[in-house]
Amino acid sequence: MTQPVVTARNLSRHYESGGGMFSQRQVVRALSEASFSIDPGKTLAVVGESGCGKSTLARLITLIEEPTAGEFTICGTPGVPENWDSLRSQVQIVFQDPYGSLNLRHRVGSIIEEPLKIKRPDMPAAERASKAREMMEMVGLRPEHYDRFPHMFSGGQRQRIAIARALILEPKLLVLDEPVSALDLSIQSQVLNLLLDLQERMELAYLFISHDLSVVRHVADDVVVMYLGRPVERGSKEAVFGAPRHPYTVALLSATPSADPTRHRNRIKLEGELPSPLDIPAGCPFAPRCWKAQDRCRTERPELGDAAHAAACFYPEGTETA
Amino acid sequence: MALLNIRNLSVDFATGGGSFRAVDGVDVTVEAGEVLAIVGESGSGKSVSMLAAMGLLPWTATVTADELTFDGKDLRNLSPSARRKVIGRDVAMIFQEPMSSLNPCFTVGFQIREALAQHLNLDRAARKKRALELMEMVGIPAPEKRLNAFPHQLSGGMNQRVMIAMAIACGPKLLIADEPTTALDVTIQAQILDLLTGLQRDAGMGLILITHDMGVVAETAHRVAVQYAGWKVEDQPVKDLFQTPHHPYTAALLAALPERATERRLPTIPGVVPGQFDRPQGCLFSPRCAFADDRCRSTLPPVQPPELGRARCHYPLMAPATEEAQ
């Protein structure tokens, strides 16, 4: 059996905020008890609305921040600060906005080579340049782009540059934080195809963070649905999309517009909005917006459990008894 | 007679590198009670054409049109003060970023009442009452309290509701919504779209929905206009468009949707939208089109009859998209 690239157990990240002279410190529970693992060559998609903790998860896995509780390993090595330096070449990230993530004053070549300069200081410049050119070809950039500046490129091309930079160290895991949501539809499919090709060729594991369910359905192998910092459902793509069990997943799927005007569905209307992460309701975090909530949901928090297709709900869909 | 009637609208911007044509010969008609969606990628001129119709473009823009009428009034040679009487009252607009289109220095109640004071003959008490009514209409909980809230104290979805309340304050005949849900989460997006279509149905307004999201189009629009690089390339009722797109661009765009994918690799449209300096001769889509030949690359394509979706193409597609994919 192959070793998973990442395994995470009960990862949590809490931030303290406020705390002036007269006010108490408050705790923002950005991420609580996330557990998952990703095998080489597989894609785990994390979906949820803004504020659900998906970007916090990305920051923990890319070793930008330390978790406040829980642990994770990357290629078998624990992701603790002592190991960060050696682990950083195994994990790389592609950000959402290619207009903000590239340094405008650097040429494309030096942007792509920068990780090598830092992580492989012994590598001669000529070898670095040839590696960068190889990588540019792989992501579909032309050799003459090597000396150009990022402002000369369109959004899709910039995202290719960002992908080339992330892959130059040959990482095992690529964290993709909304990689296509800033791109136009016709460009989006080009970038998605590129990501799928690279995954096949390099046996990459992807942690794919997105709010666009139609994209997730296309690229993911496994899906984690998050709500207010907690995973509420986890399972294979077929299971989660085919037979969603948590009411939130059901609502999310029904709210996503489908590009088929002939299909008329009964959309589940969710009342209200996401509660503030400063003030997470007792019991199930989804209970205030849930149409199935009972008294038990408001007092006791359902656990996700370890099943292959798990849902953190007392009354999951598909097991109707009431 | 159509509510909004635009024929052969062109917009040129004076830029440092010469003049740039952002909108080129676009026709738009909207009937009362109709939901028209304008779809296109960034740079297709979908927002600019509507801003031009409302007279909201900066002085660098030159707007020309053969016809530009709203409700029988010619908007082209209206004086600015007469235009201001129409804009905001009979035609209202909602913008993409609710956070940046509301004034952070005033409460949302003040901003709604400002719209009322500008256009309607109401006294102070009546304005306050109407503002409260509007807040209720757009589904804001505890409206009395929220009237005194500043935009930064409300969430994005709430702010968008306030924007909608401002837009419908004076009972417009036409509402233009420019990417009204792009900045919002899907569950909130569903709420806002339901709200917009509900208001549109109840008041019999015309609604123009500018968007790039094919899912939103499919679920809300009656008729769809597809724009590409400043051209309107196709115009069809929504069901026909999704079933039988006649312009190759529309067909390729629909095929590129991940939810329509049949295999792991998505069909793509090679290349990018032409910019200011690389506009091709002939058909603007020809460099990216799978069906283009020499005629497409040299001669401007004609606009086909309505049966062919008014496609701006030499060789409009005939077969239903489903058959073609197989």
Side-chain angles (χ1 to χ4, degrees):
Chain A
M1 196 185 128
T2 50
Q3 183 194 27
V5 178
V6 198
T7 42
R9 283 216 70 80
N10 294 332
L11 270 191
S12 303
R13 172 79 217 189
H14 298 172
Y15 297 96
E16 286 192 345
S17 83
M21 199 183 285
F22 301 109
S23 58
Q24 272 224 309
R25 277 187 171 254
Q26 285 178 300
V27 177
V28 182
R29 293 186 170 76
L31 181 71
S32 305
E33 291 168 37
S35 305
F36 56 86
S37 71
I38 313 175
D39 288 329
K42 294 286 176 195
T43 304
L44 175 75
V46 179
V47 292
E49 297 178 277
S50 47
C52 74
K54 46 192 202 300
S55 292
T56 305
L57 182 65
R59 294 172 70 89
L60 295 183
I61 297 296
T62 36
L63 313 169
I64 296 171
E65 281 178 2
E66 242 184 298
T68 42
E71 58 205 23
F72 65 103
T73 60
I74 293 168
C75 309
T77 321
V80 289
E82 299 86 76
N83 297 336
W84 278 12
D85 198 39
S86 61
L87 281 178
R88 279 200 173 121
S89 41
Q90 308 286 335
V91 191
Q92 291 292 319
I93 186 166
V94 175
F95 293 100
Q96 172 173 10
D97 182 9
Y99 291 85
S101 64
L102 300 176
N103 191 332
L104 296 174
R105 289 167 176 266
H106 285 197
R107 293 175 193 273
V108 169
S110 72
I111 288 174
I112 297 175
E113 284 172 28
E114 199 173 3
L116 287 176
K117 273 191 198 155
I118 296 165
K119 284 287 166 197
R120 312 249 194 289
D122 310 331
M123 191 182 271
E127 196 185 331
R128 241 182 3 236
S130 80
K131 267 198 99 156
R133 285 181 188 275
E134 218 173 87
M135 188 51 70
M136 284 173 64
E137 198 198 319
M138 209 170 206
V139 299
L141 292 166
R142 285 203 294 272
E144 65 263 29
H145 292 156
Y146 186 84
D147 284 321
R148 295 195 187 165
F149 287 99
H151 75 260
M152 300 159 144
F153 293 89
S154 63
Q157 298 279 63
R158 284 169 190 235
Q159 206 58 302
R160 286 175 197 265
I161 299 170
I163 293 170
R165 174 178 63 182
L167 291 181
I168 192 91
L169 288 173
E170 290 161 15
K172 297 278 186 301
L173 172 70
L174 196 58
V175 177
L176 300 157
D177 191 354
E178 308 258 11
V180 294
S181 36
L183 306 177
D184 275 321
L185 189 54
S186 70
I187 307 299
Q188 178 180 312
S189 53
Q190 294 174 7
V191 173
L192 285 178
N193 280 347
L194 170 67
L195 288 171
L196 292 175
D197 286 349
L198 291 171
Q199 180 169 47
E200 254 170 51
R201 206 166 341 155
M202 302 172 72
E203 275 276 286
L204 285 166
Y206 286 159
L207 180 66
F208 193 98
I209 293 171
S210 179
H211 67 274
D212 187 336
L213 289 175
S214 60
V215 170
V216 166
R217 188 177 230 159
H218 185 70
V219 299
D221 295 301
D222 294 301
V223 181
V224 172
V225 183
M226 310 237 320
Y227 185 77
L228 264 185
R230 275 180 194 281
V232 293
E233 182 158 354
R234 187 187 55 217
S236 68
K237 168 178 73 175
E238 289 76 22
V240 172
F241 281 95
R245 301 192 63 209
H246 197 282
Y248 177 64
T249 316
V250 177
L252 203 60
L253 283 172
S254 95
T256 307
S258 123
D260 182 1
T262 53
R263 211 164 92 202
H264 278 286
R265 296 165 304 167
N266 289 328
R267 193 184 281 161
I268 298 166
K269 260 206 229 167
L270 278 188
E271 297 297 324
E273 304 197 7
L274 216 61
S276 152
L278 276 173
D279 180 26
I280 292 177
C284 172
F286 187 59
R289 297 174 80 189
C290 183
W291 63 98
K292 296 172 84 179
Q294 317 261 332
D295 287 339
R296 186 179 168 204
C297 301
R298 294 189 191 93
T299 49
E300 215 181 313
R301 189 163 51 75
E303 295 293 332
L304 185 63
D306 283 327
H309 180 194
C313 184
F314 291 125
Y315 309 101
E317 296 285 315
T319 50
E320 250 21 17
T321 46
Chain B
M1 191 192 64
L3 190 59
L4 180 72
N5 207 341
I6 301 177
R7 268 199 312 115
N8 199 12
L9 173 79
S10 297
V11 181
D12 293 278
F13 283 98
T15 66
S19 123
F20 172 61
R21 179 153 282 205
V23 177
D24 192 0
V26 167
D27 301 337
V28 184
T29 49
V30 190
E31 308 287 337
E34 188 184 31
V35 183
L36 169 73
I38 303 182
V39 241
E41 299 177 84
S42 40
S44 61
K46 53 196 194 302
S47 298
V48 171
S49 56
M50 282 304 110
L51 289 170
M54 306 241 325
L56 293 176
L57 287 173
W59 60 271
T60 49
T62 318
V63 180
T64 54
D66 290 351
E67 193 183 346
L68 187 57
T69 55
F70 170 74
D71 206 14
K73 280 190 277 292
D74 194 336
L75 292 174
R76 280 175 305 172
N77 37 29
L78 221 53
S79 71
S81 65
R83 186 196 288 274
R84 279 199 298 276
K85 288 213 175 71
V86 178
I87 304 295
R89 183 196 167 110
D90 293 332
V91 194
M93 194 156 177
I94 303 168
F95 300 92
Q96 175 174 358
E97 286 270 336
M99 291 294 192
S100 50
S101 19
L102 289 168
N103 190 333
C105 303
F106 296 99
T107 64
V108 298
F110 177 88
Q111 295 184 54
I112 295 176
R113 290 197 299 272
E114 191 184 14
L116 293 169
Q118 199 59 236
H119 293 290
L120 301 181
N121 250 336
L122 295 174
D123 60 30
R124 226 179 135 80
R127 284 206 294 270
K128 194 166 176 196
K129 200 170 143 249
R130 174 81 178 138
L132 203 62
E133 254 174 47
L134 286 165
M135 295 278 272
E136 254 161 36
M137 258 167 93
V138 296
I140 294 181
E144 302 88 352
K145 255 170 55 189
R146 294 284 159 74
L147 277 176
N148 297 318
F150 287 91
H152 74 267
Q153 296 171 314
L154 301 176
S155 66
M158 281 298 152
N159 275 322
Q160 194 59 287
R161 284 170 198 267
V162 172
M163 286 291 293
I164 294 172
M166 280 167 71
I168 60 165
C170 307
K173 295 184 182 133
L174 175 67
L175 185 62
I176 302 173
D178 188 355
E179 308 255 7
T181 56
T182 309
L184 306 175
D185 283 321
V186 263
T187 55
I188 308 298
Q189 162 171 293
Q191 293 173 357
I192 296 287
L193 288 178
D194 279 349
L195 171 67
L196 276 177
T197 46
L199 289 169
Q200 180 272 333
R201 214 173 322 115
D202 296 345
M205 277 189 299
L207 176 64
I208 299 181
L209 193 70
I210 302 174
T211 181
H212 67 271
D213 187 331
M214 283 295 185
V216 171
V217 172
E219 298 213 342
T220 49
H222 301 155
R223 197 156 56 82
V224 188
V226 184
Q227 291 205 181
Y228 180 77
W231 281 6
K232 182 169 90 172
V233 295
E234 185 155 2
D235 186 344
Q236 280 206 78
V238 65
K239 277 190 188 148
D240 302 343
L241 184 98
F242 279 87
Q243 220 157 54
T244 50
H246 291 300
H247 196 282
Y249 173 66
T250 320
L253 206 56
L254 290 173
L257 287 171
E259 66 171 274
R260 291 199 166 196
T262 44
E263 46 197 292
R264 197 148 163 84
R265 280 191 68 87
L266 292 166
T268 60
I269 310 177
V272 290
V273 180
Q276 181 175 3
F277 303 110
D278 55 358
R279 271 174 102 79
Q281 270 214 324
C283 174
L284 290 180
F285 187 57
S286 61
R288 304 176 74 187
C289 183
F291 308 99
D293 64 6
D294 286 338
R295 187 167 148 216
C296 301
R297 282 184 277 270
S298 55
T299 344
L300 287 176
V303 176
Q304 300 288 338
E307 307 84 70
L308 288 172
R310 296 194 174 86
R312 201 158 174 177
C313 184
H314 288 296
Y315 310 108
L317 305 173
M318 309 288 183
T322 43
E323 281 174 37
E324 202 168 62
Q326 281 153 14

